Amino acid sequence: MARRLSGDLDEDRFKPLRLMNGVYLQLHAYMLRVAIPYGTLDSREMCRLARIARVYDRGYGHFTTRQNIQFNWPKLAEVPDILADLAEVEMHAIQTSGNCIRNVTADHFAGAAADEVEDPRIHAEVIRQWSTLHPEFSFLPRKFKIAVTGAARDRAAINVHDIGLQMLRNEAGEPGFRVVVGGGLGRTPIVGPTIREFLPKAELLSYLEAILRVYNRLGRRDNPFKARIKILVASVGGDVFAAMVEEEWQALRGGSLDLPEEEVARIAAYFASPPFEALPAQDTGFEAMRFEDRDFARWCRTNLHAHKQQGYAILSISLKPVGGVPGDATAEQMEAVADLAERYGQDEIRVSHEQNLVLPHIRLRDVHAVWQGLVAAGLGAANIGLVSDIISCPGLDYCNLANARSIPVAQRIATRFADLDRQHDIGELKLKISGCINACGHHHVGHIGILGVDKKGSEFYQITLGGSAGEDASLGDIVGPAFSYDDVVDAVETLVETYVGLREKGERFLDAYRRLGPAPFKEALYAGH
Amino acid sequence: MTARIVTANGLRDGEVLYLARGGRWTRDLAEAEPAESPEAEAALMAIAEGAMRCRAVVEAYAMAVAVEEGTPHPLSQRERIRAAGPTVGTDIAIERGR
Amino acid sequence: MPVIKDGQLVEDDWTFMPDSVPLDEVSRPVISLARWQGESRALRVRNLRLGLRLPNDADPAAVGAELHRFALIELEFPTFRDGRAYSQARLLRERHGYLGELRAVGAIGRDQYFFLDRCGFDSVTVAGDEAELARALEGWFEAMAEISVPMQPASDRRPPASSLRERRRAAAGAS
């Protein structure tokens, strides 16, 4: 930084370094992206993020679909101070940008989910360490994103990452990974092919090194839009790519990349389950509050999830209040969450790729108290998984790459569906909005996806239907001509009403779309136009 | 009429700046100096290149404006938002008022 | 062209010779892969001390066992963003057992030096006036000192963090 401000480095040479440290130049200001490895935070780290928001920024931060946090208004000259403040809690902004292996993401219910084979963060951490300042892979053709899930239920969108890893057991009962390569969104959305059905856990790094080496050598560098690994995999075919990786892997495996069991055990110890109490499966106090308090009951329906330990629950904190900016939290809210995590939640907080927060280990008997604390902090939205729980990229309001605004569209849709009873009646509906083709808002994999485009200086919005980021991953179909900024909210409402009119009992929007196809939705949107 | 002005971001703060008369950088779009010919635009850009070398600003470029009564107004949505700031606090009121 | 090698600025006489230029004009010529493939028989007979410049899309395996004939292999960085040569270097060192000098040529700066060193390069070309060369060397020392314990094995001798811990465990177990 000193070298840049003093003129020793010009912008051309400074920019890649600035980006390596997570500092972008956006529309109105610089933006600093801070890595939150696999979305896991403790209260001390969360309080530090709150402090940075208050001291160096405008009192808030923005949680992203990469489980990171972004600050929208830092001053370049103060970035070294921010990084020093982060370093005090062992946090940093390295590899949140640039053509390197980015922050590794994982299931936000890791270590708590009732359905997982093993905590995916152990190997996400193994990968994080291996990829940190990797000498061979710091100047890849393009950025590289890896996601890990420990369960068959995919909460980490592994099928649309450069590499997706799903933990599973083979016939002998040994844990390992299914390896998906070359998925992605952006201008060429692809659900990645599986190139290996089972990879023994111990050989993970040599296999990843083989994939990265093939990509580093053969990935296209002539055109940044064709440089992601998905283009390479698609151009040679998943089977051929798998064979290339296999050949490289056979030459690499068995070397010093195989982690000794003690080393894995050492890392695993960091993710050991907190000491759980032996509790009954039901808590009478909790049940009573649910019976008495309708608001609480409604919130429990969407924001609580099954925990592996009897008597506990996983609790989602929605960062999608009606009319708010999806993923934003004020410094005070971050501190409130940190406080609740410390008092009730084993000092653990998670950031989800759906731009919400999670308290993974809450005793059932404490759930009501935590809920009250959240409501007091303005974090009580009971909408996880519902139509107003929208993923939205920053869009043209902040981002230098965007063609159209995203956040105001999300705000208007959430406001239109503000009636919580109506949202609960509509049920699970994943709505995702991107302000440009780069698809940071994951629109391709939204049950309803919205893509902002620029048409002769005006913002228009293309709608896709039927996408999914889960284990049943699919890309949405474009439903027809784009809608104007003014009309897009009505269009969404029309789609939702069409579904409500046609659904069978218990059928989600996505299921109904898959059963019915696009015809009735097209008809409703465009008939009479 | 359409003209072009030169804009950039401040190196230290990243704030949106416009090139005003006399080579001064201003946060106030109204003070920006419009170029009404390619030669005038090139002259403004030359000043901006100098400012980038001197590390006052980064990422300077020329943008189209409509000049009405001597005041430039951005033509693109991107530049309107750059000039006025994020719209994320304002649209709610519009929706609620419907 | 000056290079940084073993922590020193040295001016050595390896010279890249375009394919059309006769090799006897310099004492230490570096030739292209194409020239080697086209003229290897004649070149072998002459028993010259040769360097080879590998284009960065070439597989080191294409040269095969003949790699060891070359006292120097140059790998190219057309821009510092093009990182293919890091993989070539590691393949040369770790897979093909190349023991000669590995040199990085092209657009490389201070922020790549550490990665180069880790991937097995011995030398890197530098350009500029005397002050710029001195600054580059200073940058080289800074880069080498920046990270003491790397997080992964590569072509250098720096033991990665995991193996250090393993040794400590072994030592603790033995005592």
Side-chain angles (χ1 to χ4, degrees):
Chain A
M1 197 67 62
R3 282 155 69 206
R4 173 64 180 128
L5 292 175
S6 74
D8 194 19
L9 277 176
D10 60 18
E11 184 67 11
D12 280 352
R13 295 199 69 86
F14 176 65
K15 194 170 170 184
L17 281 181
R18 153 161 87 64
L19 291 174
M20 275 288 250
N21 281 291
V23 182
Y24 287 72
L25 181 61
Q26 295 291 25
L27 279 194
H28 312 284
Y30 288 100
M31 179 271 279
L32 175 69
R33 183 181 292 155
V34 177
I36 302 175
Y38 29 84
T40 296
L41 289 168
D42 61 21
S43 56
R44 195 170 70 110
E45 292 162 338
M46 185 63 110
C47 285
R48 185 53 58 101
L49 295 176
R51 188 185 119 84
I52 288 167
R54 192 178 287 125
V55 174
Y56 302 102
D57 206 281
R58 297 192 177 172
Y60 70 97
H62 176 73
F63 290 97
T64 78
T65 56
R66 295 279 310 145
Q67 300 181 303
N68 291 324
I69 187 168
Q70 291 176 180
F71 294 104
N72 286 328
W73 306 95
K75 292 178 168 43
L76 186 63
E78 289 182 350
V79 166
D81 295 338
I82 302 177
L83 296 179
D85 277 13
L86 287 170
E88 284 177 9
V89 293
E90 285 100 44
M91 294 182 78
H92 60 74
I94 298 166
Q95 287 179 231
T96 57
S97 169
N99 293 337
C100 56
I101 302 169
R102 302 283 189 90
N103 186 29
V104 181
T105 53
D107 181 352
H108 46 271
F109 292 168
D115 57 354
E116 77 185 7
V117 173
E118 192 184 295
D119 190 330
R121 293 173 304 165
I122 298 167
H123 283 83
E125 172 61 16
V126 166
I127 297 167
R128 188 193 69 77
Q129 294 191 7
W130 160 78
S131 67
T132 297
L133 295 174
H134 198 294
E136 185 178 347
F137 306 134
S138 287
F139 296 94
L140 295 167
R142 199 75 179 80
K143 58 188 170 184
F144 205 91
K145 301 177 179 178
I146 303 177
V148 195
T149 170
R153 176 81 192 275
D154 180 6
R155 288 173 287 257
I158 64 160
N159 294 298
V160 288
H161 276 77
D162 295 294
I163 295 178
L165 298 168
Q166 182 210 332
M167 296 208 79
L168 40 69
R169 288 182 192 282
N170 65 4
E171 283 167 5
E174 298 152 346
F177 298 96
R178 180 171 68 90
V179 184
V180 180
V181 173
L185 301 172
R187 62 189 71 211
T188 317
I190 294 176
V191 173
T194 295
I195 65 162
R196 193 169 183 87
E197 291 294 343
F198 185 81
L199 175 70
K201 245 171 46 170
E203 298 197 87
L204 175 64
L205 291 186
S206 58
Y207 196 77
L208 293 186
E209 191 141 305
I211 296 172
L212 267 296
R213 181 168 288 167
V214 170
Y215 170 55
N216 190 41
R217 296 187 56 208
L218 302 179
R220 284 180 63 174
R221 291 177 186 264
D222 57 328
N223 178 347
F225 300 135
K226 308 244 180 234
R228 294 289 285 270
I229 195 173
K230 64 189 171 188
I231 305 292
L232 174 63
V233 175
S235 71
V236 300
D239 293 343
V240 172
F241 186 82
M244 290 156 87
V245 170
E246 191 69 20
E247 189 188 340
E248 180 60 35
W249 185 49
Q250 291 305 334
L252 267 174
R253 65 193 295 201
S256 53
L257 279 165
D258 289 354
L259 287 175
E261 267 175 46
E262 301 80 38
E263 182 63 15
V264 177
R266 190 190 67 85
I267 293 172
Y270 287 108
F271 302 101
S273 286
F276 293 122
E277 291 168 41
L279 294 170
Q282 301 256 316
D283 181 85
T284 46
F286 169 70
E287 296 305 333
M289 291 315 299
R290 213 152 55 148
F291 188 74
E292 284 166 25
D293 189 331
R294 185 165 169 273
D295 287 344
F296 178 59
R298 203 159 48 174
W299 177 86
C300 289
R301 246 166 62 199
T302 44
N303 295 43
L304 283 193
H305 321 276
H307 198 283
K308 65 182 181 184
Q309 179 73 20
Q310 179 174 302
Y312 285 77
I314 302 170
L315 191 158
S316 286
I317 302 169
S318 168
L319 297 181
K320 318 289 175 64
V322 168
V325 176
D328 273 12
T330 64
E332 292 70 30
Q333 288 175 328
M334 292 184 221
E335 281 160 352
V337 170
D339 178 54
L340 291 169
E342 204 172 4
R343 272 198 286 164
Y344 300 107
Q346 311 274 7
D347 204 21
E348 268 202 53
I349 304 157
R350 305 286 170 73
V351 182
S352 80
H353 85 270
E354 290 170 327
Q355 300 180 283
N356 293 312
L357 299 176
V358 173
L359 297 176
H361 311 296
I362 303 291
R363 283 178 298 229
L364 283 176
R365 68 160 180 264
D366 294 331
V367 168
H368 189 259
V370 175
W371 174 72
Q372 285 178 314
L374 292 173
V375 170
L379 292 169
N383 61 352
I384 295 293
L386 302 182
V387 62
S388 63
D389 182 10
I390 298 169
I391 290 185
S392 167
C393 72
L396 190 55
D397 285 296
Y398 295 96
C399 178
N400 227 337
L401 303 172
N403 294 320
R405 286 175 289 167
S406 310
I407 294 167
V409 173
Q411 291 172 319
R412 289 167 57 221
I413 291 170
T415 306
R416 178 69 63 88
F417 290 96
D419 177 354
L420 206 51
D421 287 329
R422 184 182 178 198
Q423 285 194 53
H424 277 256
D425 174 63
I426 294 163
E428 184 185 307
L429 206 172
K430 306 226 169 184
L431 207 150
K432 308 189 183 197
I433 307 175
S434 306
C436 78
I437 192 83
N438 292 310
C440 298
H442 297 185
H443 65 276
H444 298 111
V445 289
H447 300 175
I448 296 177
I450 298 177
L451 166 65
V453 294
D454 174 278
K455 274 194 186 174
K456 297 186 183 127
S458 298
E459 295 158 295
F460 273 79
Y461 296 87
Q462 197 176 66
I463 294 181
T464 50
L465 295 176
S468 167
E471 60 284 356
D472 59 346
S474 59
L475 303 172
D477 313 310
I478 295 173
V479 72
F483 294 88
S484 71
Y485 181 80
D486 288 334
D487 291 340
V488 65
V489 180
D490 290 337
V492 169
E493 188 164 30
T494 301
L495 290 168
V496 171
E497 286 310 314
T498 305
Y499 151 71
V500 168
L502 294 172
R503 69 181 165 188
E504 292 176 347
K505 198 169 160 36
E507 195 177 43
R508 300 175 306 161
F509 180 92
L510 181 63
D511 304 325
Y513 177 80
R514 285 177 173 170
R515 175 174 60 86
L516 296 161
F521 297 95
K522 274 189 186 174
E523 170 73 17
L525 280 179
Y526 300 105
H529 280 256
Chain B
M1 62 154 292
T2 0
R4 289 166 77 77
I5 61 172
V6 169
T7 181
N9 290 78
L11 171 64
R12 280 174 178 272
D13 297 357
E15 79 275 33
V16 176
L17 296 172
Y18 301 97
L19 188 55
R21 201 168 296 280
R24 189 169 59 85
W25 291 94
T26 172
R27 290 177 191 222
D28 185 359
L29 175 71
E31 292 183 334
E33 182 179 4
E36 283 161 18
S37 67
E39 294 75 28
E41 181 186 328
L44 289 180
M45 274 310 292
I47 298 174
E49 304 278 350
M52 286 196 277
R53 273 194 300 276
C54 297
R55 307 183 300 281
V57 301
V58 287
E59 311 261 330
Y61 58 91
M63 59 180 257
V65 290
V67 181
E68 288 160 22
E69 294 168 6
T71 310
H73 296 276
L75 292 181
S76 75
Q77 177 73 313
R78 173 192 150 91
E79 291 302 340
R80 280 194 289 273
I81 290 172
R82 258 182 104 237
T87 66
V88 300
T90 54
D91 283 67
I92 302 306
I94 301 167
E95 175 75 17
R96 286 200 179 126
R98 274 164 76 136
Chain C
M1 186 150 203
V3 297
I4 296 176
K5 184 178 173 182
D6 300 331
Q8 288 186 317
L9 265 178
V10 292
E11 185 78 48
D12 68 9
D13 44 6
W14 284 111
T15 312
F16 179 73
M17 305 302 283
D19 290 355
S20 54
V21 180
L23 296 184
D24 33 24
E25 289 182 10
V26 295
S27 62
R28 292 180 163 194
V30 179
I31 60 169
S32 73
L33 177 63
R35 187 170 193 166
W36 172 249
Q37 286 169 335
E39 305 171 25
S40 60
R41 182 171 301 195
L43 289 168
R44 248 182 251 135
V45 171
R46 289 176 61 187
N47 208 17
L48 283 168
R49 190 175 164 79
L50 284 176
L52 175 70
R53 182 173 287 189
L54 271 186
N56 70 3
D57 56 355
D59 186 345
V63 192
E66 308 256 75
L67 278 170
H68 304 290
R69 287 183 169 274
F70 298 98
L72 171 97
I73 294 179
E74 292 187 341
L75 298 175
E76 294 179 309
F77 291 83
T79 82
F80 71 88
R81 286 187 190 83
D82 187 336
R84 281 178 279 194
Y86 296 109
S87 287
Q88 289 179 307
R90 289 195 65 190
L91 286 171
L92 281 166
R93 289 287 190 229
E94 296 170 48
R95 185 134 330 141
H96 301 289
Y98 179 69
L99 296 171
E101 180 173 345
L102 266 188
R103 175 168 297 183
V105 300
I108 321 146
R110 175 206 190 280
D111 300 301
Q112 285 79 49
Y113 290 165
F114 182 69
F115 296 143
L116 290 178
D117 192 65
R118 294 223 60 214
C119 288
F121 285 91
D122 303 290
S123 58
V124 48
T125 55
V126 281
D129 60 30
E130 209 166 305
E132 283 165 320
L133 293 181
R135 208 157 50 215
L137 184 63
E138 196 182 317
W140 190 88
F141 280 110
E142 284 169 12
M144 292 307 121
E146 228 153 47
I147 289 133
S148 50
V149 181
M151 300 303 287
Q152 62 292 103
S155 299
D156 56 354
R157 295 207 182 120
R158 290 182 187 83
S162 59
S163 80
L164 284 178
R165 280 190 293 267
E166 202 181 340
R167 269 189 242 169
R168 266 203 302 276
R169 271 193 299 270
S175 61

